[in-house]
Amino acid sequence: MFYPLIRKILFQFDPETVHHWTLRTIRFAGSVPPIAAILRWSYHTHSLPVQLFGITFSNPVGLAAGYDKDGIAWRGLACLGFSHVEIGTVTPLPQSGNPKPRLFRIPEGQAVINQMGFPSQGAQIVAQHLRRTRPKGLVLGVNLGKNKDTPNEEAARDYLALLEIFSPLADYLVVNVSSPNTLGLRQLQARQSLHELLSQLVAKRNSLATRQKYTPLLVKLAPDLSDSELDDALDVLTANQIDGVIATNTTVQRVGMFPRGLANHPLIDQSGGLSGAPLFSLSLRMVQEIVKRTNATLPVIGVGGIITPTQAHQMLDAGAKLIQVYTGLIYNGPAFVKKIVKSLSAC
Ligand SMILES: Cc1cc2nc3c(=O)[nH]c(=O)nc-3n(C[C@H](O)[C@H](O)[C@H](O)COP(=O)(O)O)c2cc1C
């Protein structure tokens, strides 16, 4: 009810600074049991269970990667009604990401452009953050990326090291080859590179599974793949028996993405990944195409531009088994998950 006013105040400040304030506040709230209990009560969602990858998700809505990159606030975020929270992107070694400013809001278009470039405290520290007690029912995903200085030819080494560290800690892992802010990363989506990477990761995951537990391995794709690039990627995913796909990451496209009235907005030409309302139709189409091209055999998590409950319905109607939100949370506030789940359970 008060969020439009809070948002107005928060939007007076630098976006990344506000993000860190918010994250610290949520971390604090999640670590003080009476406050966490009040939050859980306030944002309690209907039970709308989804079975996927042998895991029960209490509802279809999760938090997309990039919000809690270092896994500092996931216990507080769980109080906002998410069935799952995806930590990361985590890189093996700590790195600072791209120079600031690197996060821009376009409120008129309910959009964000980010040029973050995987700032990460590194795998060892993030792993420590994830060893805390798990809130009941929360599914924890970890999104993996390579360090900026690792050439693509050696990327597999980074992902293999991350897989080994995080498979005992995560319910599912995501191979991120689709962020636009790490030079060359998206080339790992090409047929040959993707096959070389995924075949090694799947072999490693399977060998770990015999000693530990089976950890589902997902791949996150960009919305900017052409139809033939998407076909190539899906062939590789299917051939390697990847458990699921997350569609989509942010887009580098700008032309035709914004309504005409915003075409001259000064921030539109910032480079980086565009998320939020303008992304929705691209992501929705990508989900529809994946479902069609795989005959619905590959589970899809739909993400990109979900700003209203109606869009959440549309994404699920397109065949996504789960959905994730990020920018919608910035524009709608903490009650957004509850609002979506309420609307879904009314159907
Ligand atoms: C500031 C910001 C940082 C992000 N960082 C990551 C990241 O580290 N890894 C990743 O896979 N996706 C990242 N994303 C992409 C989101 O997970 C999501 O795929 C994308 O924003 C589309 O969803 P949305 O329109 O609901 O925001 C980031 C998005 C934003 C806005």
Side-chain angles (χ1 to χ4, degrees):
M1 200 165 47
F2 301 112
Y3 189 71
L5 178 64
I6 295 170
R7 185 181 58 204
K8 207 167 181 175
I9 297 167
L10 292 177
F11 277 19
Q12 304 301 312
F13 299 92
D14 166 67
E16 194 168 345
T17 308
V18 171
H19 181 71
H20 287 295
W21 288 344
T22 315
L23 212 54
R24 275 192 219 120
T25 307
I26 297 172
R27 174 176 64 177
F28 172 75
S31 64
V32 181
I35 303 180
I38 293 171
L39 279 184
R40 269 197 300 276
W41 177 78
S42 308
Y43 297 112
H44 175 77
T45 51
H46 292 70
S47 170
L48 212 56
V50 177
Q51 301 286 340
L52 197 62
F53 321 127
I55 303 170
T56 304
F57 294 77
S58 59
N59 67 59
V61 188
L63 179 64
Y67 194 89
D68 188 7
K69 286 177 184 286
D70 294 316
I72 63 164
W74 56 283
R75 296 164 84 244
L77 286 161
C79 302
L80 303 184
F82 293 108
S83 63
H84 63 289
V85 171
E86 194 170 305
I87 300 307
T89 295
V90 189
T91 56
L93 300 175
Q95 62 176 32
S96 54
N98 290 327
K100 296 178 187 173
R102 54 193 181 178
L103 186 56
F104 308 90
R105 300 183 200 102
I106 306 177
E108 304 85 338
Q110 295 191 295
V112 162
I113 293 176
N114 91 83
Q115 310 166 345
M116 303 300 284
F118 295 166
S120 174
Q121 292 183 4
Q124 294 304 339
I125 292 182
V126 176
Q128 272 173 27
H129 296 161
L130 302 189
R131 290 199 182 98
R132 318 246 348 246
T133 322
R134 186 85 68 91
K136 197 169 150 241
L138 179 75
V139 174
L140 197 61
V142 180
N143 181 302
L144 315 175
K146 72 170 189 72
N147 276 114
K148 181 184 172 196
D149 295 337
T150 305
N152 275 4
E153 302 70 51
E154 291 165 30
R157 208 183 47 207
D158 278 13
Y159 288 98
L160 286 164
L162 292 162
L163 177 83
E164 185 143 17
I165 295 168
F166 288 104
S167 42
L169 298 168
D171 294 309
Y172 70 88
L173 294 173
V174 183
V175 183
N176 182 4
V177 281
S178 51
S179 287
N181 301 311
T182 296
L183 197 67
L185 186 83
R186 286 182 164 199
Q187 289 163 12
L188 294 174
Q189 294 173 114
R191 184 183 277 274
Q192 189 57 28
S193 317
L194 193 60
H195 176 69
E196 278 166 23
L197 177 63
L198 295 184
S199 55
Q200 293 182 65
L201 288 172
V202 168
K204 176 86 177 175
R205 187 276 312 274
N206 292 348
S207 80
L208 290 173
T210 57
R211 282 182 276 143
Q212 305 167 0
K213 63 176 178 59
Y214 178 88
T215 311
L217 203 54
L218 281 65
V219 174
K220 187 165 178 178
L221 294 177
D224 305 322
L225 295 175
S226 67
D227 285 353
S228 68
E229 288 168 334
L230 177 62
D231 272 336
D232 282 353
L234 293 176
D235 279 353
V236 175
L237 266 55
T238 313
N240 284 285
Q241 296 185 312
I242 287 295
D243 298 272
V245 58
I246 304 192
T248 68
N249 215 309
T250 54
T251 179
V252 294
Q253 298 181 51
R254 297 292 186 274
V255 178
M257 297 296 290
F258 286 89
R260 220 178 257 165
L262 283 179
N264 294 324
H265 194 286
L267 288 178
I268 284 178
D269 289 329
Q270 278 289 348
S271 62
L274 171 67
S275 60
L279 179 59
F280 180 70
S281 50
L282 264 188
S283 299
L284 181 69
R285 180 182 173 270
M286 187 92 169
V287 170
Q288 288 164 336
E289 287 298 320
I290 296 171
V291 171
K292 190 174 85 188
R293 285 161 199 260
T294 62
N295 288 323
T297 53
L298 184 64
V300 187
I301 300 183
V303 51
I306 298 173
I307 304 282
T308 66
T310 306
Q311 289 168 325
H313 282 266
Q314 286 175 276
M315 204 52 117
L316 292 166
D317 289 345
K321 300 281 185 225
L322 299 168
I323 57 170
Q324 294 181 339
V325 296
Y326 184 151
T327 308
L329 191 65
I330 299 174
Y331 286 102
N332 289 288
F336 188 40
V337 187
K338 183 174 176 163
K339 202 168 142 190
I340 295 177
V341 178
K342 190 174 171 196
S343 159
L344 293 175
S345 51
C347 295

